[in-house]
Amino acid sequence: MIKKLLAALALSTLALPLGISANEGPDAPKAVSGKDTPLPFTAAVKQGGKWGAVNEKGIVIIPFAYDKEGLSLSGTESQEEDLDEDGRENLIEVQKGKLRGFYNRQGQVIVPVSYENRSIWKEGALAVQESDKKNVLYRMDGTKIGNKTYEQVSDFRNGMAIVKEDGKYGYLSLEGKEIAPVYQEARYFADGLAPVRQKGKWGVIDGNGNFVVNPSYKDSGPAYSEGLLAVKNGKDLWGFIDTKGSEVIEPVYKEVIPVFTEGYTAVENDDKLWGFINTKGEVTAKPQFKAVLTEFSEGLAGVKTPDGNGYAKPDGTIAFMADYNQLFPFDDGIAEVREGQVTEVRERSGFPISIGIGWGWGHWFHGHHHHHHHRHSGWGIGIGIPIWDPWGYGDETVPTVQVKRGYIDNTGKVIASPSNDRVFEATDEGILVRNEGKYGWVNRKGIFTAHSIYKSLVPVEEDGLLMAQNEDKKWGLLSMDDGSEVAAMNYDGLTSLGNGFYGYKVKSDWGILGKDGSLITDPLFRGAAASGDGLIPVKDKNGWKYIDASGKDAITFKEEASDVTSFRNGRAGVRIKGKWGLIDTTGRFLLKPAYEDIDIL
């Protein structure tokens, strides 16, 4: 899940799929992202048509030299993963002309403004493509990784990246140690070992580049898993070797799924039937399935039998049938399923370097549930940087018609049926569903705590509440646990302001509710916006101001404030006479209004 860097922005966007985008007060100021742990305060400010940044004291830390500035200037498809890296929230991206770079929140240059294309941050590292099309790697402290540039690079996995130079492949560690690019192909390190191809044969090297398994195999799996690596011998038969190169599982299988999960994998015999083996090579389920559809998760694997799809145990017995068109692994007791006949078109993942694992099980390699539809390239599809990621490699199947999602539990019980109009992606608390145009909420045990009778329904999981709109177009708050009314359905509009506060609308005026449904203020305001640091921005006839948690005025202005931001780390932006300034929680101006725009980062 994306970190809470964009949590406040979600307040205004969450309602959009449900058709309730009008749930904002008029002229609501820009929402400002919040975070659980305080970050060094930074505000991007614009002056003379150029962006810079100031700190909590109002001191300029990024010069006014940039055309754009933000947490991430990458395309929206890659921003979630880009911002998800630990420590990433301390970095700010800037752009000047076509070139971009990074500062940290203290104003230190991390990556010079030197690239048009970049990766996303992985394991504290970033690859950027400079004007000569060569790739350079940086750490989050601003130091370069190694002293060379490369034609192509992968992301870092387990502390090592694959690099390409003069048509050969090698490795670079996070510490900058290089294993010279001398290999025809190279795959990721795991357990301190990596498969490489030399002189047409596959072997295994250690972190120093020494062969621990001499090149002798026709092909290999993507990496070690549970101490074993899939290998293919000269007779085109698959088996598994251990970290010393011993054939723990003799190469006797026509095909294998090359990754073990929960101690098991699947193998195919000459009759094109699949069964299960364990890490000792013992056959736990004789070949009997037409296909194996998922890895093992919570003791079950999705399989295709002559009678339909279902989930099997390691011994091959069918735990239950689940005759949906698509099955997925279990996650905390439930699994996604999909229904609907589709025509699928295969589309190559799009990596310029095609090293070629050669099987369509790429989703097993990256360690994430593939049904979230993130292409786990590690670098963000569409950025254009030439990289390769064997953990996400393979053909992508693109359905030509929409497929309907549902969920079942690990006994086969239907939690949310795909027969609904739409089943939204499950969260930690439950699942939003739409049926016959009405919305409902079902918990992860399959119990409807709010039946599908609502015109709109917006979950606010941090408060355990549902913002609900009934047939009379009136809004109220429901308990996510049992559907009981926390705030009666009396309001013409409702929006979450964060931190347990809600804006409610009566006719054209807004008031504030607590998460327990208590009335904090009467409908006195023309607008309300996201709270921060215990202060809520509201707008009355005199402009914007801030009230406290009891509804009393906390900060007012002598001159009309035409716009404000929410507080973050004790600071907020205020616009007066068309110019932005910066205040603290007492209302004191740290920067007098002088800037063309402001963005609290």
Side-chain angles (χ1 to χ4, degrees), residues 95-96 139 159 166 190 205 253 328 330 385 392 443 451 550 557:
Q95 182 171 331
K96 187 175 185 179
R139 302 181 186 92
D166 296 328
I205 61 170
Y253 298 105
F328 296 93
F330 283 91
I385 193 166
N443 65 22
H451 291 285
S550 68
F557 304 99

Side-chain angles (χ1 to χ4, degrees), residues 51-225:
W51 285 91
V54 297
N55 65 12
E56 77 283 356
K57 296 180 180 179
I59 298 171
V60 174
I61 57 171
I62 298 177
F64 293 96
Y66 301 106
D67 302 317
K68 293 181 181 180
E69 186 173 341
L71 295 176
S72 174
L73 301 180
S74 294
T76 54
E77 289 185 4
S78 63
Q79 280 195 6
E80 179 177 340
E81 194 172 2
D82 187 38
L83 292 170
D84 203 38
E85 174 76 358
D86 286 344
R88 173 64 179 85
E89 62 275 6
N90 194 42
L91 301 180
I92 297 166
E93 192 167 20
V94 297
Q95 182 171 331
K96 187 175 185 179
K98 293 183 178 181
L99 298 180
R100 289 180 283 160
F102 274 100
Y103 286 81
N104 64 17
R105 289 176 177 267
Q106 291 77 22
Q108 176 189 358
V109 174
I110 301 300
V111 180
V113 177
S114 58
Y115 62 86
E116 289 188 39
N117 297 313
R118 68 171 176 88
S119 70
I120 64 172
W121 290 91
K122 282 287 186 179
E123 296 193 7
L126 179 80
V128 302
Q129 187 183 82
E130 297 186 326
S131 57
D132 59 0
K133 303 301 181 184
K134 294 286 188 175
N135 295 295
V136 183
L137 294 115
Y138 288 88
R139 302 181 186 92
M140 281 189 176
D141 64 3
T143 57
K144 284 186 178 181
I145 302 176
N147 54 11
K148 293 174 61 176
T149 61
Y150 297 96
E151 297 168 16
Q152 292 175 310
V153 297
S154 77
D155 60 348
F156 276 90
R157 301 271 179 153
N158 299 314
M160 300 287 276
I162 302 168
V163 296
K164 182 184 181 184
E165 185 179 34
D166 296 328
K168 298 290 187 179
Y169 299 92
Y171 296 89
L172 185 68
S173 74
L174 281 168
E175 292 74 32
K177 179 182 176 182
E178 183 189 68
I179 297 176
V182 296
Y183 307 107
Q184 292 171 296
E185 293 186 52
R187 292 176 181 161
Y188 276 120
F189 269 85
D191 298 332
L193 302 171
V196 296
R197 185 165 72 94
Q198 193 172 64
K199 295 182 180 179
K201 298 292 183 180
W202 285 88
V204 178
I205 61 170
D206 63 18
N208 294 315
N210 301 317
F211 275 101
V212 297
V213 178
N214 288 324
S216 58
Y217 291 101
K218 192 171 182 179
D219 205 349
S220 87
Y224 275 90
S225 65

Side-chain angles (χ1 to χ4, degrees), residues 29 66 211 216 242 249 290 301 414 442 445 465 513:
Y66 301 106
F211 275 101
S216 58
D242 64 16
I249 299 173
K290 296 173 68 176
V414 175
V442 59
K445 294 181 180 180
L465 296 174
L513 293 175

Side-chain angles (χ1 to χ4, degrees), residues 540-546 555-562 574-577 583 586-589 592-593:
D540 62 17
K541 64 181 181 179
N542 297 315
W544 285 93
K545 62 181 180 179
Y546 295 87
I555 300 174
T556 59
F557 304 99
K558 294 180 180 179
E559 298 181 277
E560 180 182 349
S562 60
V574 178
R575 186 169 68 179
I576 294 176
K577 295 182 178 179
I583 62 171
T586 69
R588 180 174 64 94
F589 274 95
K592 297 294 184 181

Side-chain angles (χ1 to χ4, degrees), residues 267 269 273-277 283-289 314-317:
V267 295
N269 67 9
L273 294 176
W274 290 83
F276 302 135
I277 60 171
V283 176
T284 63
K286 66 180 182 179
Q288 58 192 285
F289 306 117
D315 64 4
T317 58

